[in-house]
Amino acid sequence: MVNIIGTAGNDKLKGGGDADNIFGDPFTTGDLWGVREVGGALDSGIGGSDTLIGRDGPDGLIGDAWEIAGSGLGGNDLLNGGGGFDLLYGDAIEIRGSGRGGNDTLKGNAGNDQLRGDAGAMYANARGGDDSLLGGGGNDELYGDAGSMNHNSRGGNDTLIGGSGDFDFLRGDAGVMNDNASGGNDRLSGGNGTDWIYGDAEFMYDNTQGGDDTLIGGNGDDLLFGDGGGMYGNAIGGDDRIVGGQGHDELWGDASTMSPSAVGGRDVFVFDNGSGLDFIRDFEVGKDKIDVSGYGYHSIAELTLEDSEGGVIIDLDATAADANEVVLVNVFEVFAGDFIFA
């Protein structure tokens, strides 16, 4: 294993063919990976705008420091995992105080990778940068900001693309959001394969708030959650745009599980030609919208609506085959105002 620590400037750091740990800047204090500890936390000033390349082997890449705290600011870094199983952190393992992440670009490339745009965890008044994450090949996990967001932390406006893997997990902000954390306005695209996409976090607790996100499933049979898998406490969802893409997709504008005090947003579900057989699991009549303009419909009178025991079926191509249909689960009446037409 090779451990590489950059300077305070703008560095280009390359690993070897084995497992590498690479820090973009000389702030490794607190490290648990066996890297020599130097520099303390990045608690003031700005990290360099570095390029980190892992190459082959399982690598750990951290754009700036083990910990960003105080008024420290991460640089605008480029992290490229290369082959193998890689862990990429755009800025730090932890961001605390009023620390902020930079606007980073993370590329997993080949292998099953985990990409976190800013940190493993964010605390206090930490802020995430506006990051771009690309999973590449393999089955990847992408977090726009952090594994967990706590206290008053805020997510950036991130772009996540799953890539060509068979099975990707995309979380626009975090795996878990607690306390008063809030998500950014993110854009998430699954790409090929079966993808699970959460606009904000897999789980939202307490007084957390989701951003106004755009989710695109792409090809394959996908699960899309506009805000989270579960919204608990007083969690509030954002106003999201959900595009299932092709395949058999399961869509939630807010979350699959919500506590009685959680509040969903005003979401738009978008369907274009060849959208496949899709299920909307939490459509709210009079609040959410269904955009069928991509099929060229101009009024509700032109739509083919069918009743079923499970809910209204919208037959988008008006054929006997269940090729391009939308099932509104547990919804038994819709109105013209629930649609967006061409």
Side-chain angles (χ1 to χ4, degrees):
M1 176 178 288
V2 176
N3 296 324
I4 302 172
I5 303 173
T7 71
N10 302 327
D11 304 307
K12 185 172 183 178
L13 308 170
K14 293 184 179 181
D18 296 319
D20 304 303
N21 294 321
I22 305 177
F23 283 77
D25 297 286
F27 303 98
T28 64
T29 299
D31 169 80
L32 299 177
W33 291 358
V35 178
R36 177 172 58 92
E37 297 188 40
V38 297
L42 174 56
D43 56 12
S44 63
I46 303 174
S49 296
D50 306 305
T51 298
L52 283 61
I53 302 174
R55 303 177 72 172
D56 295 330
D59 305 307
L61 278 59
I62 300 177
D64 295 284
W66 188 268
E67 180 181 349
I68 295 177
S71 60
L73 174 63
N76 301 327
D77 304 307
L78 170 62
L79 282 65
N80 191 326
F85 168 70
D86 304 308
L87 299 175
L88 277 61
Y89 299 82
D91 296 285
I93 297 296
E94 295 183 351
I95 302 180
R96 300 178 178 273
S98 297
R100 295 176 182 269
N103 301 327
D104 306 306
T105 299
L106 285 67
K107 299 180 179 180
N109 284 323
N112 302 330
D113 306 306
Q114 294 186 14
L115 283 61
R116 294 168 173 83
D118 294 285
M122 297 168 61
Y123 301 95
N125 297 305
R127 298 289 186 271
D130 299 336
D131 305 307
S132 297
L133 285 67
L134 174 60
N139 301 326
D140 305 307
E141 294 191 37
L142 279 60
Y143 304 76
D145 293 284
S148 69
M149 294 173 58
N150 309 281
H151 305 145
N152 297 309
S153 57
R154 299 289 183 269
N157 301 326
D158 306 306
T159 300
L160 286 68
I161 302 174
S164 58
D166 294 327
F167 195 92
D168 297 314
F169 281 90
L170 280 64
R171 302 164 177 91
D173 294 284
V176 180
M177 294 171 62
N178 299 302
D179 307 313
N180 298 305
S182 64
N185 301 327
D186 306 307
R187 183 178 179 86
L188 304 89
S189 179
N192 296 324
T194 297
D195 306 303
W196 289 28
I197 304 178
Y198 304 86
D200 293 285
E202 194 164 352
F203 300 104
M204 299 172 62
Y205 295 100
D206 306 318
N207 298 306
T208 54
Q209 185 162 346
D212 299 335
D213 306 306
T214 298
L215 286 66
I216 304 171
N219 298 325
D221 301 335
D222 306 308
L223 274 67
L224 277 63
F225 307 83
D227 294 288
M231 295 172 59
Y232 305 100
N234 298 312
I236 299 175
D239 299 334
D240 305 307
R241 187 173 178 85
I242 316 294
V243 185
Q246 298 178 354
H248 173 168
D249 304 309
E250 304 279 341
L251 311 175
W252 287 263
D254 301 299
S256 60
T257 304
M258 297 179 66
S259 68
S261 54
V263 178
R266 296 181 177 275
D267 306 305
V268 177
F269 299 88
V270 181
F271 301 94
D272 291 321
N273 279 320
S275 54
L277 175 61
D278 302 315
F279 292 79
I280 301 178
R281 296 285 180 180
D282 67 345
F283 187 79
E284 296 184 72
V285 173
K287 183 177 181 180
D288 298 327
K289 301 282 187 181
I290 301 170
D291 187 341
V292 294
S293 60
Y295 278 88
Y297 291 112
H298 295 85
S299 71
I300 194 170
E302 297 177 6
L303 288 173
T304 301
L305 304 177
E306 304 171 5
D307 295 326
S308 74
E309 293 184 359
V312 171
I313 299 174
I314 307 170
D315 189 346
L316 293 171
D317 57 10
T319 65
D322 298 335
N324 296 296
E325 295 183 348
V326 178
V327 180
L328 305 182
V329 178
N330 293 326
V331 174
F332 299 98
E333 187 174 17
V334 290
F335 305 92
D338 296 319
F339 294 89
I340 296 173
F341 297 105

